[in-house]
Amino acid sequence: MATYHVTVGRREYRVEIQPGQYTVNDRPLNMQLQRLNEYGLYLAKGDKHRLEMLLKPGKAGQVSVVVNQRHLMVRVEKNPSKLRNSEVSHHQNQITAPMPGVVVRLLAASGQHVKVGDLILIIESMKMQMEIRSPLEGKVEKLNKQAGEKVDKGEVLAIIHPSDRKGS
């Protein structure tokens, strides 16, 4: 059995994987995960649901996840003792492009307060628009692109300064 700690924004999950069996926070997950291609496209199949997702590993345990046109930056750690509910690391507050494309629209501005899941910008790649959302609550420190500008895969699109617990 492999155990991982997965962090999405400020939410943390304990994921255990055994052959054919997944558990999230000690709750069994009835699903199968099938790799569809060598570019990171996967299909998660449950009893009644099917979900395609694009997974791209990054640096320092970061994984870019695109699902239902939403982009999430996820941190995956193998060592359970590393799990902590504290401040976000300097890499987690960077929103990066999951693939090359063009910025279609900015929906946030520098200095704006955002919550987890708030829409920051929309990029388009191969005629598919992708919503890029904030992985954490905080203030938009910097937007690195304007509408109409091209972006490369992995390029930092925005930086979010995390809020303290009282709200900054």
Side-chain angles (χ1 to χ4, degrees), residues 7-142:
T7 307
V8 182
R10 290 188 184 259
R11 293 191 176 134
E12 298 177 345
Y13 305 92
R14 178 185 165 104
V15 178
E16 296 176 352
I17 301 173
Q18 295 182 36
Q21 183 179 349
Y22 303 91
T23 305
V24 177
N25 292 343
D26 298 320
R27 297 181 71 199
L29 199 63
N30 188 14
M31 64 165 261
Q32 295 176 348
L33 190 62
Q34 177 184 356
R35 186 176 184 158
L36 297 177
N37 65 26
E38 67 273 12
Y39 303 110
L41 188 62
Y42 287 81
L43 176 65
K45 296 188 284 187
D47 290 336
K48 298 178 183 178
H49 303 288
R50 297 170 75 87
L51 187 64
E52 283 188 8
M53 58 189 140
L54 181 65
L55 306 175
K56 293 287 185 178
K59 297 177 182 175
Q62 294 276 352
V63 178
S64 169
V65 179
V66 179
V67 61
N68 289 337
Q69 296 184 348
R70 290 186 66 190
H71 176 248
L72 303 167
M73 286 305 293
V74 176
R75 184 180 66 200
V76 179
E77 295 181 88
K78 178 86 168 151
N79 184 353
S81 66
K82 288 187 179 178
L83 187 61
R84 60 209 170 271
N85 221 346
S86 60
E87 289 301 308
V88 177
S89 75
H90 68 284
H91 292 294
Q92 282 185 292
N93 63 345
Q94 295 180 354
I95 299 173
T96 59
M99 59 184 62
V102 175
V103 175
V104 175
R105 197 163 85 202
L106 294 175
L107 293 133
S110 290
Q112 179 179 335
H113 181 80
V114 293
K115 295 180 182 170
V116 174
D118 281 357
L119 199 53
I120 304 296
L121 57 97
I122 298 174
I123 63 172
E124 185 174 290
S125 180
M126 299 184 294
K127 297 186 182 184
M128 181 178 88
Q129 290 192 353
M130 186 175 309
E131 296 177 342
I132 307 298
R133 296 179 180 269
S134 179
L136 56 108
E137 183 171 348
K139 187 185 292 186
V140 178
E141 191 173 301
K142 184 177 181 183

